[in-house]
Amino acid sequence: SWVDWTFLEENKEMMTFVKHLIAIRKKHPILRSQTKPSRSGYPHYSKHGVNAWYLSDLEAERVIGVMFSGRDETGQFDDYSYIAFNSHWEDHMVELPVLPKGYHWQKHIDTAKPTKKAVVMEEHITVLDATHIDVKARSVCVLFAHYQPEADNA
């Protein structure tokens, strides 16, 4: 590992970040193993570029998105995650895959932010109204879908 964990006080921010990543992984079964298929018919995983559902072979983009879909542990709700990797030295606007009715994207991790703020705390997570996200240079964004049935009536 590139972090010397014997110096926990000096690496406290990184340790906290890793703890949050572990908690997120535990909360979302689709990040750990294959689950029952989602009701939407989306594949268990799909690859995307700056445009949803289209992974360009243009080397200049240097962006890849991966969407995982399946069911939550109860089997009651679909579980979707989208991870956008930008290895380019420039920012990119990335189109998000459209979710089924009632589901909305929420950004949980943005590594372009300082380590202390890279993971969005539960009480600060908001629904994204956008169809695109700005993925900063050399960063990763992790989004999860949130179901809001009342939004179906909007």
Side-chain angles (χ1 to χ4, degrees):
S1 166
W2 51 269
V3 175
D4 185 347
W5 295 109
T6 60
F7 295 100
L8 282 181
E9 199 53 45
E10 288 143 32
N11 296 313
K12 190 174 186 177
E13 284 182 23
M14 183 59 69
M15 180 68 156
T16 302
F17 178 72
V18 171
K19 283 182 178 181
H20 287 302
L21 293 179
I22 292 168
I24 287 170
R25 186 173 179 270
K26 285 181 179 179
K27 185 175 181 180
H28 294 277
I30 56 172
L31 297 179
R32 298 189 312 269
S33 62
Q34 193 158 351
T35 65
K36 290 182 181 178
S38 68
R39 291 178 183 86
S40 66
Y42 287 167
H44 179 66
Y45 72 92
S46 53
K47 296 176 275 188
H48 308 262
V50 292
N51 297 306
W53 301 105
Y54 178 73
L55 181 58
S56 171
D57 58 1
L58 294 176
E59 192 175 303
E61 282 186 6
R62 295 180 171 90
V63 172
I64 185 168
V66 180
M67 184 171 83
F68 296 95
S69 64
R71 300 261 182 97
D72 67 5
E73 289 178 320
T74 68
Q76 185 178 1
F77 294 101
D78 285 348
D79 192 13
Y80 302 94
S81 71
Y82 183 83
I83 306 171
F85 303 88
N86 181 4
S87 63
H88 203 202
W89 51 85
E90 297 177 5
D91 300 351
H92 284 277
M93 287 301 292
V94 174
E95 180 184 16
L96 297 170
V98 174
L99 291 166
K101 189 175 182 179
Y103 286 88
H104 305 277
W105 288 117
Q106 295 179 326
K107 190 187 300 183
H108 286 242
I109 298 172
D110 186 348
T111 64
K113 298 184 183 298
T115 308
K116 275 185 177 178
K117 297 181 180 183
V119 177
V120 181
M121 296 292 101
E122 200 72 34
E123 62 271 13
H124 299 294
I125 294 173
T126 58
V127 169
L128 300 177
D129 287 332
T131 58
H132 293 72
I133 58 166
D134 184 19
V135 184
K136 299 294 184 190
R138 295 187 171 107
S139 70
V140 176
C141 291
V142 180
L143 292 84
F144 292 98
H146 177 68
Y147 183 67
Q148 286 184 307
E150 66 277 1
D152 288 345
N153 300 327

